[in-house]
Amino acid sequence: MSRGPNDPGRRDRIVAAAVDLMGRDGLHTITHRAVAAHAGVPLGSTTYYFRDLDDLLLAAVAVALEHSRGRIDDWDADLPTGATAEQVCRSLAEMTVGYLTEHTARTVLDYELYAAGLRREQLRARSAEWIGLLRTALHGRFDPLTADALTAAVDGFTLQALLARGTPTVDACEALLRRVVAG
């Protein structure tokens, strides 16, 4: 009789611990040892499931990507089918500023993982997929060029707000998005 795993949720706990540590301390602080300690597992468990740190980062990117996909899908589903451009811009501004003010640590982590694809080839495809999440939702509501421009505007607004460490406002974000839609 074959014996099953003694701790079937261990891999998921390791990934969750990595995501938690990255969100708290930054991507650059991740080591197998730190993640194992945070997950409460032996060091050998992290190297058993993840050959190297890039494998662990890829798993963390997948979790963060699915989280972002859920947020954007929920946002899109909450908008009425025939929402006007103004309604979409307002709702998108509210979502964007909400991520910046209510979920700052998670948003910083999302962008840190998103940008990791610039230097880590194995993360590049997942990072590129990230760009497509909002773009895909917006393609259902705008022409492709406007959807792409809105996606770039949200990314730019978010990064600038995170770096400025000020308090972004829904009105400022909405004004930017409306300008993009107006051409």
Side-chain angles (χ1 to χ4, degrees):
M1 172 192 238
S2 110
R3 191 175 136 184
N6 291 332
D7 187 0
R10 185 173 288 192
R11 183 186 187 282
D12 292 339
R13 279 201 332 276
I14 292 168
V15 174
V19 170
D20 187 49
L21 280 175
M22 286 185 270
R24 189 184 76 196
D25 301 330
L27 187 67
H28 66 284
T29 65
I30 295 303
T31 65
H32 281 286
R33 187 173 306 284
V35 172
H38 196 66
V41 301
L43 177 59
S45 292
T46 61
T47 56
Y48 173 79
Y49 288 107
F50 303 101
R51 178 177 41 89
D52 57 32
L53 286 178
D54 283 342
D55 286 347
L56 182 54
L57 288 177
L58 192 56
V61 166
V63 167
L65 182 62
E66 287 313 307
H67 184 260
S68 292
R69 184 184 318 281
R71 292 187 313 197
I72 291 172
D73 287 349
D74 290 348
W75 168 79
D76 192 38
D78 286 345
L79 278 171
T81 303
T84 65
E86 291 79 18
Q87 290 171 315
V88 174
C89 288
R90 181 67 183 190
S91 179
L92 184 54
E94 289 170 348
M95 178 180 70
T96 301
V97 172
Y99 293 154
L100 288 163
T101 57
E102 298 166 27
H103 308 287
T104 308
R106 181 61 194 228
T107 302
V108 168
L109 173 60
D110 286 351
Y111 274 85
E112 200 170 7
L113 290 170
Y114 171 53
L118 294 171
R119 299 251 184 227
R120 291 180 163 96
E121 188 61 39
Q122 62 279 20
L123 300 179
R124 189 174 300 265
R126 282 300 183 132
S127 293
E129 191 178 339
W130 221 308
I131 296 168
L133 296 176
L134 182 58
R135 181 184 290 151
T136 298
L138 292 172
H139 275 196
R141 298 180 182 277
F142 296 98
D143 65 273
L145 183 58
T146 302
D148 291 351
L150 283 168
T151 301
V154 166
D155 275 343
F157 183 88
T158 301
L159 284 171
Q160 288 176 18
L162 289 171
L163 291 169
R165 301 259 185 217
T167 305
T169 66
V170 172
D171 290 341
C173 186
E174 181 183 8
L176 173 69
L177 299 177
R178 283 184 180 225
R179 176 68 58 97
V180 169
V181 170

